[in-house]
Amino acid sequence: MNKVVLMGRLTRDPEVRYTQGENQMAIARYTLAVDRRFGRGSNNNDENTADFIPCVAFNKAGEFAEKYFRKGTKIAVSGRIQTGSYTNKDGVKVYTTEVIVDDQEFAESKNNSSSSDGSYGNSNYGGGYGGAGSQPAAPMAASDGFMNIPDGIDEELPFN
């Protein structure tokens, strides 16, 4: 099985190109900075390190990336790893590894991203979740890590 799930921030705006011909297809390329749980150093101090994962989204997913994703946007993607190789103009064989995106979504609200420390650049990615008040407020997480569900909502849950 070839399945990968990642969450990280875009290192730059997606680069989008369209195929030629009658049925044009969007191809969006972007790189995700995905934090590691542990540092690379042997002294195990909690230094922040990240892996930079190249991703490719096709068709509607590519168009969505072009329209809404910007540098610093925190997103979650799922897809598959694809490897390949080519010979560059100097005659050297180059090996590639990238994630072919099946699904992608925002991993934080627009309000949360604009209040970040700014170390990832501009997080005003426009669109997406809509303006303030467009969605009901999410239940707050309790101290035990579980969400408190307001009274009267249990009829809407698919289980009881």
Side-chain angles (χ1 to χ4, degrees), residues 12-20 23-30 55-67 82 98-101 104:
R12 56 184 161 78
D13 290 354
E15 177 183 311
V16 182
R17 296 187 180 174
Y18 287 85
T19 59
Q20 299 297 314
N23 295 324
Q24 288 190 345
M25 175 176 58
I27 303 171
R29 294 183 178 276
Y30 53 82
C55 300
V56 182
F58 294 95
N59 295 322
K60 295 288 184 190
E63 293 172 9
F64 184 87
E66 178 180 37
K67 187 172 182 180
Q82 179 173 293
E98 56 196 9
V99 172
I100 305 301
V101 175
Q104 59 189 2

Side-chain angles (χ1 to χ4, degrees), residues 6 14 28 65 80 83 91 128-129:
L6 301 169
R80 62 185 170 84
T83 60
Y129 288 136

Side-chain angles (χ1 to χ4, degrees), residues 1-7 30 32 34 51 53-56 75-83 97-104:
M1 178 185 310
N2 183 353
K3 182 79 171 174
V4 63
V5 178
L6 301 169
M7 184 181 312
Y30 53 82
L32 277 183
V34 179
D51 291 302
I53 314 293
C55 300
V56 182
I75 64 171
V77 301
S78 65
R80 62 185 170 84
I81 293 177
Q82 179 173 293
T83 60
T97 303
E98 56 196 9
V99 172
I100 305 301
V101 175
D102 292 328
D103 294 303
Q104 59 189 2

Side-chain angles (χ1 to χ4, degrees), residues 70-132:
R70 297 290 175 262
K71 178 181 178 180
T73 305
K74 188 173 186 181
I75 64 171
V77 301
S78 65
R80 62 185 170 84
I81 293 177
Q82 179 173 293
T83 60
S85 64
Y86 63 92
T87 304
N88 69 12
K89 62 184 176 185
D90 299 327
V92 177
K93 192 163 192 172
V94 177
Y95 295 93
T96 62
T97 303
E98 56 196 9
V99 172
I100 305 301
V101 175
D102 292 328
D103 294 303
Q104 59 189 2
E105 59 188 65
F106 293 104
E108 67 184 358
S109 70
K110 186 174 180 180
N111 291 340
N112 286 349
S113 66
S114 62
S115 66
S116 69
D117 64 4
S119 61
Y120 292 99
N122 181 10
S123 59
N124 296 325
Y125 46 81
Y129 288 136

